[in-house]
């Protein structure tokens, strides 16, 4: 049986050049599906990577109890002070490595669109860089406390107009001065603008209030003890979450939406590609009627014939998948864009990510389309009446 399968498949592959036109149509159809499949899902992967790459397990975010985002949280200055005095927070010569922070949304035009888009403006304390050691000033300098100076994330500087060192945007009644650009390893933090929280509070009439406290723990293992210390303090009504967990959760909603849309579009296009494969393989079977009948007359069984037709369908689908994957990787991987984070109502800049996992999924999907498209023609070839086919010789 195995010998027959190998022989029939070999004969089939050698005759592919005779069906080059119809085979190319099938390859192009599957490649198109793969390009769209990868293009849409690379958006979801890029957004999730930007959000999931944020944070360190030793960094914790403290918000008001019941809040799942900073936008819905609110902490008084006294509450923030009590949080920073909680045992378990790392300390240096300046005190606890913790930054009470304020988060507001400002309108600013992108480079592609003059209309305003939402940009996150974050008020931080002097300990912000110590809390986030991955953040580095790559151009200019850090803002001076007590002034209207700001530093801009690298992604925000690329995405939005006039956010370079030396520019002076105006938001509300305040004129702000960009003095630095910071890098955060490609994470969502690069879509933010930072300023002194004590300056931001009166600018947006927030009084002595914050929305969160970012704190550096003495060790990642001390998270539960720190969380227990917060919840056991009757003066506090707060919740604590590790920074990576917080930002990973932020990406769930949009990732699910984009992924669902991607699979739906790919599924609908896949149906068309399957019909194209069916047509191609029926044409191949029709053109090989005499060849298949001769093989059957020589003693070759039905199963080797089925395998030969399916092997051609799988080969064509694999070629289409590889071509489509290559086009998608060249066209989309690393492409910079931004989208709305529905949980913070602000723009998040990120890069499309055509990952090895996505490419593997696309190849498996293309093989599945080929198998489905080749199944009926393969069965027809196996059931081809030998006597009738031989009469056409």
């Amino acid at each position: 049986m195995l010998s027959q399968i190998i022989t029939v498949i070999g004969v089939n592959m050698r005759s592919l050049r005779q069906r080059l036109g119809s085979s190319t149509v099938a390859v192009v159809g599957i490649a198109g599906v793969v390009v769209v499949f990868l293009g849409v899902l690379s958006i979801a992967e890029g957004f999730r990577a930007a959000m999931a790459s944020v944070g360190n397990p030793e960094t914790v975010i403290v918000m008001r109890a019941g809040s799942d985002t900073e936008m819905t949280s609110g902490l008084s200055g006294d509450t923030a002070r009590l949080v920073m005095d909680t045992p378990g927070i790392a300390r240096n010569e300046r005190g606890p490595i913790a930054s009470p922070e304020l988060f507001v949304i400002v309108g600013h035009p992108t480079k592609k669109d003059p209309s305003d888009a939402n940009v996150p403006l974050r008020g931080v304390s002097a300990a912000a860089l110590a809390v986030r050691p991955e953040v580095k000033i790559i151009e200019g300098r850090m803002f001076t406390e007590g002034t209207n100076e700001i530093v801009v994330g690298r992604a925000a500087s690329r995405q939005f107009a006039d956010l370079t060192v030396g520019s002076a945007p105006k938001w509300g009644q305040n004129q702000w001065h960009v003095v630095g650009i910071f890098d955060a390893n490609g994470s969502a933090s690069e879509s933010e603008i930072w300023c002194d929280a004590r300056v931001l509070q009166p600018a947006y009439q927030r009084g002595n209030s914050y929305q969160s406290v970012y704190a550096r723990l003495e060790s990642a293992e001390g998270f539960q003890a720190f969380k227990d210390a917060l919840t056991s303090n009757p003066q506090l009504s707060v919740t604590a979450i590790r920074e990576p967990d917080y930002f990973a959760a932020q990406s769930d909603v949009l990732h699910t939406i984009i992924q669902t849309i991607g699979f739906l579009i790919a599924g609908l296009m896949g149906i068309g590609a399957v019909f194209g494969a069916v047509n191609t393989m029926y044409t191949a079977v029709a053109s090989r009627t005499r060849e298949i009948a001769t093989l059957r007359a020589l003693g070759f069984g039905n199963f080797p014939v089925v395998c030969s037709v399916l092997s051609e369908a799988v080969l064509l689908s694999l070629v289409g998948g590889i071509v489509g994957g290559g086009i998608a990787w060249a066209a989309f991987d690393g492409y910079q864009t931004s989208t709305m984070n529905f949980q913070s109502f602000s723009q998040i800049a990120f890069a499309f990510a055509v990952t090895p996992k996505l490419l593997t999924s696309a190849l498996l999907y293309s093989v599945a389309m080929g198998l489905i498209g080749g199944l009926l023609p393969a069965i027809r070839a196996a059931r081809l009446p030998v006597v009738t086919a031989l009469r056409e010789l």
Side-chain angles (χ1 to χ4, degrees):
M1 180 67 72
L2 181 61
S3 176
Q4 287 190 4
I5 291 173
I6 294 173
T7 301
V8 176
I9 290 176
V11 172
N12 195 28
M13 294 304 150
R14 285 192 292 271
S15 65
L16 264 176
R17 286 179 296 180
Q18 302 172 9
R19 303 182 296 280
L20 190 59
S22 61
S23 298
T24 301
V25 172
V27 169
V28 171
I30 290 175
V33 175
V34 169
V35 169
V36 174
F37 177 79
L38 289 174
V40 176
L41 293 188
S42 67
I43 300 174
E45 286 299 310
F47 182 78
R48 183 166 64 177
M51 298 298 287
S53 62
V54 178
N56 187 299
E58 294 183 357
T59 303
V60 63
I61 303 173
V62 180
M63 300 177 291
R64 183 181 62 194
S67 300
D68 57 358
T69 69
E70 291 179 89
M71 290 294 292
T72 60
S73 176
L75 304 174
S76 67
D78 291 338
T79 298
R81 178 181 54 79
L82 288 171
V83 169
M84 291 189 293
D85 289 339
T86 302
I89 295 179
R91 294 177 175 271
N92 57 20
E93 64 280 359
R94 301 186 63 177
I97 304 178
S99 173
E101 298 184 355
L102 186 62
F103 187 89
V104 301
I105 301 297
V106 296
H108 195 79
T110 66
K111 291 182 178 180
K112 296 180 180 180
D113 189 348
S115 60
D116 283 349
N118 291 340
V119 189
L121 176 60
R122 181 181 294 276
V124 302
S125 74
L129 292 180
V131 173
R132 304 174 177 87
E134 74 278 3
V135 174
K136 308 293 182 184
I137 301 295
I138 59 174
E139 185 180 345
R141 58 175 175 83
M142 187 60 173
F143 63 78
T144 302
E145 294 180 67
T147 67
N148 283 15
E149 294 178 346
I150 57 176
V151 291
V152 180
R154 182 175 61 175
S157 180
R158 291 175 176 175
Q159 194 72 27
F160 296 93
D162 301 323
L163 288 182
T164 55
V165 174
S167 59
K170 185 177 181 180
W171 299 311
Q173 300 300 314
N174 288 46
Q175 193 86 32
W176 304 85
H177 302 278
V178 181
V179 297
I181 306 293
F182 67 84
D183 174 269
N185 293 333
S187 69
S189 297
E190 289 187 10
S191 298
E192 298 180 347
I193 301 168
W194 288 6
C195 68
D196 186 351
R198 292 299 182 93
V199 174
L200 188 61
Q201 285 173 337
Y204 283 83
Q205 301 178 356
R206 297 298 180 91
N208 184 26
S209 68
Y210 302 92
Q211 285 168 289
S212 60
V213 175
Y214 281 67
R216 189 82 169 176
L217 299 178
E218 294 174 344
S219 68
E221 293 73 23
F223 171 73
Q224 192 59 48
F226 172 74
K227 186 175 181 179
D228 292 342
L230 290 175
T231 54
S232 63
N233 188 337
Q235 295 178 283
L236 295 174
S237 179
V238 295
T239 183
I241 183 172
R242 294 181 191 271
E243 189 180 31
D245 296 337
Y246 173 77
F247 283 102
Q250 290 273 297
S251 68
D252 286 346
V253 174
L254 187 60
H255 181 268
T256 301
I257 292 173
I258 296 174
Q259 198 171 50
T260 301
I261 293 173
F263 280 116
L264 180 62
I265 294 174
L268 292 174
M269 291 188 66
I271 293 173
V274 165
F275 278 113
V278 168
N279 184 63
T280 298
M281 297 317 300
Y282 268 129
T283 302
V285 170
S287 66
R288 296 178 60 219
T289 298
R290 298 177 181 177
E291 174 188 313
I292 293 171
T294 302
L295 290 171
R296 293 282 306 284
L298 292 173
F300 285 83
N302 291 340
F303 188 67
V305 172
V306 170
C307 289
S308 72
V309 176
L310 287 180
S311 66
E312 180 177 340
V314 169
L315 176 64
L316 295 178
S317 65
L318 268 177
V319 172
I322 292 170
V323 171
I327 294 173
W329 181 83
F332 299 120
D333 191 55
Y335 178 77
Q336 295 285 332
T337 187
S338 66
T339 190
M340 176 73 74
N341 179 4
F342 294 105
Q343 290 175 282
S344 66
F345 299 101
S346 60
Q347 292 289 315
I348 295 291
F350 66 96
F352 285 40
V354 182
T355 63
K357 181 180 177 181
L358 275 185
L359 288 170
T360 302
S361 298
L363 284 178
L364 291 175
Y365 184 46
S366 64
V367 169
M369 288 188 288
L371 286 172
I372 295 171
L375 185 59
L376 290 178
I379 293 173
R380 180 182 184 278
R383 293 178 174 177
L384 194 66
V386 177
V387 175
T388 303
L390 288 174
R391 288 175 180 170
E392 300 180 11
L393 290 173

